[in-house]
Coordinates of all heavy atoms in Angstrom, one line a residue:
M1 N 0.9 -11.4 6.6 CA 0.3 -10.3 7.4 C 1.3 -9.3 7.8 O 2.4 -9.7 8.3 CB -0.4 -10.9 8.6 CG -1.6 -11.7 8.4 SD -3.0 -10.7 8.0 CE -4.3 -11.9 7.9
K2 N 1.0 -8.0 7.5 CA 2.0 -7.0 7.9 C 1.7 -6.5 9.3 O 0.6 -6.0 9.6 CB 1.9 -5.8 7.0 CG 2.4 -6.1 5.6 CD 3.9 -5.8 5.4 CE 4.2 -4.3 5.5 NZ 5.6 -4.1 5.6
S5 N 0.9 -2.7 10.8 CA 0.5 -1.9 9.6 C -1.0 -2.0 9.5 O -1.7 -2.9 9.9 CB 1.1 -2.6 8.4 OG 2.5 -2.5 8.4
A6 N -1.5 -0.9 9.0 CA -3.0 -0.9 8.7 C -3.2 -0.5 7.3 O -2.5 0.3 6.7 CB -3.7 0.2 9.6
L7 N -4.3 -1.0 6.7 CA -4.8 -0.6 5.4 C -5.9 0.4 5.6 O -6.9 0.0 6.3 CB -5.2 -1.8 4.6 CG -5.8 -1.5 3.2 CD1 -4.7 -0.9 2.3 CD2 -6.4 -2.7 2.5
Q36 N -7.8 -6.9 -3.2 CA -6.6 -7.7 -3.3 C -5.6 -7.5 -2.2 O -4.9 -8.4 -1.8 CB -5.8 -7.3 -4.6 CG -5.7 -8.3 -5.7 CD -5.0 -7.7 -6.9 OE1 -3.9 -7.2 -6.8 NE2 -5.7 -7.7 -8.0
L37 N -5.6 -6.3 -1.6 CA -4.6 -6.0 -0.6 C -5.0 -6.3 0.8 O -4.2 -6.5 1.7 CB -4.2 -4.5 -0.7 CG -3.4 -4.1 -1.9 CD1 -3.2 -2.6 -1.9 CD2 -2.0 -4.7 -1.8
Q38 N -6.3 -6.5 1.0 CA -6.8 -6.6 2.4 C -6.2 -7.8 3.1 O -5.9 -7.7 4.3 CB -8.4 -6.8 2.3 CG -9.1 -5.6 1.9 CD -10.6 -5.9 1.6 OE1 -11.0 -7.0 1.4 NE2 -11.4 -4.8 1.4
K39 N -6.0 -8.9 2.4 CA -5.5 -10.1 3.1 C -4.1 -9.9 3.7 O -3.7 -10.7 4.5 CB -5.6 -11.3 2.2 CG -4.6 -11.3 1.1 CD -4.5 -12.7 0.5 CE -3.5 -12.9 -0.7 NZ -4.1 -12.5 -2.0
Y40 N -3.4 -8.9 3.3 CA -2.0 -8.7 3.9 C -2.0 -7.9 5.2 O -1.0 -7.6 5.7 CB -1.2 -7.9 2.8 CG -1.0 -8.7 1.6 CD1 -1.8 -8.5 0.5 CD2 0.0 -9.7 1.5 CE1 -1.6 -9.3 -0.7 CE2 0.2 -10.5 0.4 CZ -0.6 -10.3 -0.7 OH -0.5 -11.0 -1.9
F41 N -3.2 -7.5 5.6 CA -3.3 -6.6 6.8 C -4.2 -7.2 7.9 O -5.3 -7.7 7.6 CB -3.8 -5.2 6.4 CG -2.9 -4.5 5.5 CD1 -3.0 -4.7 4.1 CD2 -1.9 -3.7 6.0 CE1 -2.1 -4.0 3.2 CE2 -1.0 -3.0 5.1 CZ -1.1 -3.2 3.7
D143 N 2.7 1.9 10.6 CA 2.7 2.1 9.2 C 1.3 2.1 8.6 O 0.5 1.1 8.9 CB 3.5 1.0 8.5 CG 4.9 1.0 8.9 OD1 5.3 1.7 9.8 OD2 5.7 0.2 8.3
Y145 N -1.0 2.2 5.1 CA -1.1 2.1 3.7 C -2.5 2.6 3.2 O -3.5 2.2 3.7 CB -1.0 0.6 3.3 CG 0.4 0.1 3.5 CD1 0.9 -0.2 4.8 CD2 1.3 -0.1 2.4 CE1 2.2 -0.7 5.0 CE2 2.6 -0.6 2.6 CZ 3.0 -0.9 3.9 OH 4.3 -1.3 4.1
F170 N 2.3 5.1 3.3 CA 2.5 4.6 2.0 C 1.3 4.8 1.2 O 0.2 4.4 1.6 CB 2.8 3.0 2.1 CG 4.0 2.7 2.9 CD1 4.0 2.7 4.3 CD2 5.3 2.5 2.3 CE1 5.1 2.4 5.1 CE2 6.4 2.3 3.1 CZ 6.3 2.2 4.4
I172 N -0.8 3.9 -2.1 CA -0.8 2.9 -3.2 C -1.4 3.6 -4.4 O -2.6 3.8 -4.5 CB -1.7 1.7 -2.7 CG1 -1.1 1.1 -1.4 CG2 -1.8 0.7 -3.8 CD1 -2.1 0.6 -0.5
D174 N -1.8 3.0 -7.6 CA -2.8 2.4 -8.5 C -4.2 2.2 -7.8 O -5.2 1.8 -8.4 CB -2.3 1.2 -9.2 CG -1.8 0.2 -8.1 OD1 -1.1 0.6 -7.2 OD2 -2.2 -1.0 -8.2
I201 N 3.8 3.9 -3.7 CA 4.1 2.6 -4.1 C 3.0 2.1 -5.0 O 2.0 2.7 -5.2 CB 4.2 1.6 -2.9 CG1 2.9 1.6 -2.1 CG2 5.3 2.1 -1.9 CD1 2.8 0.5 -1.0
H202 N 3.3 0.9 -5.6 CA 2.4 0.3 -6.6 C 2.0 -1.1 -6.0 O 2.8 -1.8 -5.5 CB 3.1 0.1 -7.9 CG 2.1 -0.3 -9.0 ND1 1.7 -1.5 -9.2 CD2 1.6 0.5 -10.0 CE1 0.9 -1.6 -10.2 NE2 0.8 -0.4 -10.7
S203 N 0.7 -1.4 -6.1 CA 0.2 -2.6 -5.4 C 1.0 -3.9 -5.8 O 1.4 -4.7 -5.0 CB -1.3 -2.8 -5.6 OG -1.6 -3.0 -6.9
N204 N 1.2 -4.0 -7.1 CA 1.8 -5.3 -7.7 C 3.2 -5.4 -7.2 O 3.6 -6.5 -6.8 CB 1.8 -5.3 -9.2 CG 0.4 -5.6 -9.7 OD1 -0.4 -6.3 -9.0 ND2 0.1 -5.2 -10.9
H205 N 4.0 -4.3 -7.3 CA 5.4 -4.4 -6.8 C 5.4 -4.7 -5.3 O 6.2 -5.5 -4.9 CB 6.1 -3.0 -7.0 CG 6.1 -2.6 -8.5 ND1 6.3 -1.3 -8.8 CD2 5.8 -3.3 -9.6 CE1 6.2 -1.2 -10.2 NE2 5.9 -2.4 -10.6
W206 N 4.5 -4.1 -4.6 CA 4.5 -4.3 -3.1 C 4.2 -5.7 -2.8 O 4.8 -6.4 -1.9 CB 3.5 -3.3 -2.5 CG 3.6 -3.4 -1.0 CD1 4.5 -2.9 -0.1 CD2 2.6 -4.1 -0.2 NE1 4.2 -3.3 1.2 CE2 3.0 -4.0 1.2 CE3 1.5 -4.9 -0.5 CZ2 2.3 -4.6 2.2 CZ3 0.8 -5.4 0.6 CH2 1.2 -5.3 1.9
I207 N 3.1 -6.3 -3.4 CA 2.7 -7.7 -3.2 C 3.9 -8.6 -3.5 O 4.2 -9.5 -2.7 CB 1.5 -8.1 -4.0 CG1 0.3 -7.3 -3.4 CG2 1.3 -9.6 -4.0 CD1 -1.0 -7.5 -4.3
K208 N 4.6 -8.4 -4.6 CA 5.8 -9.2 -4.9 C 6.8 -9.1 -3.8 O 7.4 -10.1 -3.4 CB 6.4 -8.7 -6.2 CG 5.8 -9.5 -7.4 CD 6.6 -9.2 -8.7 CE 5.7 -9.4 -9.9 NZ 5.9 -8.4 -10.9
S209 N 7.0 -7.9 -3.3 CA 8.1 -7.7 -2.3 C 7.7 -8.4 -0.9 O 8.6 -8.8 -0.2 CB 8.4 -6.3 -2.1 OG 7.4 -5.6 -1.3
V210 N 6.5 -8.5 -0.6 CA 6.1 -9.1 0.7 C 5.9 -10.6 0.5 O 5.7 -11.4 1.5 CB 4.9 -8.5 1.4 CG1 5.2 -7.1 1.8 CG2 3.6 -8.5 0.5
G211 N 5.8 -11.1 -0.8 CA 5.6 -12.5 -1.1 C 4.2 -12.9 -0.9 O 3.7 -13.6 -0.1

Side-chain angles (χ1 to χ4, degrees):
M1 292 283 185
K2 289 273 290 170
S5 298
L7 178 66
Q36 242 176 61
L37 287 175
Q38 290 168 348
K39 67 165 183 272
Y40 297 97
F41 295 87
D143 297 8
Y145 289 75
F170 300 83
I172 301 146
D174 55 314
I201 62 173
H202 190 283
S203 64
N204 284 335
H205 301 163
W206 183 78
I207 288 172
K208 268 191 206 140
S209 75
V210 292

